[in-house]
Amino acid sequence: QEAISCCSQLHPAMPRIIGNSTRVVEVDGFSIDELAGNVATKSDTLSIAHCQINQPTAEPWLTLHYDEWICVLKGRMLLNHEGGVLEVKAGQTVFVSKGERFRPEFPEAGTEYIPVCLPAFRPDRCIREDDPDGPVSKKLKQLHGDGAEGKCKPNAEVLYHMCQKKIWEEAKAAESAYYPPTFEQDGFTHATSVATRLLTVANHFYT
C-alpha cells in the first residue's frame, strides 16, 4: 500500500486523451484538420494541424504573431517572402518566425503538411491579406469566437520606415519633405505596419 501511494505521488500525471481532430477549414482544394489548439483541445499553448491540398492552390499573404514550424509530408510548397521564393519539399521542415510576411503556394495536388504554432493559432494572430468576410476567415472566426478578434492586429494607421538619422534631420531642418535615397529608383517609400520587419531591413542594409 505504501509503495502504491509513493508511486502515485512521484508520478501524478498520466497520458490522457485531450481532444479530437477537428475540421477547421474546407474550401476548394484545401482542408485543415486541427489536432491540438484552441479548437481541438481548448488550449492556447500551441497548435498542431494536418493540412491537405487536393488541387493546386495558394494562400493570401500572411503575417504571423507566433512562431510556426511547417513539416511537409508529401508534395512540395513554395513560400514567397520579401527575399524571394523558398521551395520546401517532402521530408523538410521550414521555420517561419513571428512577424514575417509570406505567401504559401501549393503547385501540386496531394501535398500534405503539418504546421506547429507557438503560441497556438488564432485568427487575430494570423493577419490575412484577403477578404475578411471570405469563407476561410468567417469559418475561423466562428470557431474561435469573437473574443480573440482584433487582439493582435497591427494599427493600420501607424507605419514604420527605417532611415538614416542624418538624412531625416536634414529634411526636418530644411522644413522639406523627406525622401529616401532610393525613392527615384523605387518610385515609392518603403514602410510597414509591423515594426518587427524593420529588423530584417536593419540587418540587411546596416550591418
Side-chain angles (χ1 to χ4, degrees):
Q1 186 71 27
E2 288 183 3
I4 295 175
S5 176
C6 177
C7 289
S8 65
Q9 291 178 10
L10 291 174
H11 305 285
M14 296 289 290
R16 64 194 189 281
I17 303 298
I18 58 174
N20 296 289
S21 174
T22 304
R23 179 63 53 92
V24 293
V25 170
E26 187 165 18
V27 294
D28 291 342
F30 187 40
S31 65
I32 300 177
D33 295 309
E34 187 175 275
L35 307 175
N38 282 293
V39 176
T41 58
K42 311 301 180 186
S43 173
D44 193 50
T45 303
L46 61 78
S47 60
I48 307 170
H50 180 208
C51 304
Q52 301 180 73
I53 309 301
N54 301 316
Q55 64 185 38
T57 187
E59 287 259 54
W61 284 95
L62 309 171
T63 300
L64 308 182
H65 288 270
Y66 49 81
D67 290 328
E68 181 171 11
W69 292 258
I70 303 174
C71 313
V72 178
L73 305 178
K74 299 179 182 179
R76 64 191 180 99
M77 66 189 306
L78 303 176
L79 292 186
N80 298 274
H81 56 93
E82 294 183 356
V85 180
L86 175 66
E87 181 181 35
V88 190
K89 300 178 181 179
Q92 295 182 322
T93 297
V94 61
F95 175 68
V96 182
S97 61
K98 179 180 179 180
E100 284 199 59
R101 179 176 180 265
F102 69 106
R103 181 173 184 265
E105 288 187 57
F106 309 99
E108 298 178 6
T111 295
E112 297 184 25
Y113 65 97
I114 302 288
V116 179
C117 307
L118 185 68
F121 169 87
R122 279 197 334 231
D124 64 304
R125 288 178 177 152
C126 180
I127 310 305
R128 298 173 58 88
E129 297 181 26
D130 65 351
D131 182 2
D133 295 321
V136 174
S137 295
K138 289 181 68 174
K139 178 66 172 179
L140 291 173
K141 290 175 184 177
Q142 176 187 355
L143 289 169
H144 287 261
D146 295 332
E149 179 63 17
K151 287 184 181 177
C152 294
K153 287 185 178 179
N155 187 343
E157 297 181 355
V158 178
L159 294 177
Y160 301 93
H161 169 76
M162 179 171 288
C163 67
Q164 298 178 41
K165 181 179 179 181
K166 178 182 178 182
I167 299 176
W168 173 253
E169 291 182 341
E170 288 176 349
K172 287 178 61 179
E175 296 184 349
S176 61
Y178 161 81
Y179 293 96
T182 59
F183 181 79
E184 291 187 5
Q185 175 184 338
D186 297 336
F188 60 92
T189 298
H190 294 269
T192 177
S193 62
V194 181
T196 53
R197 292 186 194 152
L198 295 179
L199 294 174
T200 302
V201 177
N203 289 332
H204 181 75
F205 290 101
Y206 300 109
T207 58

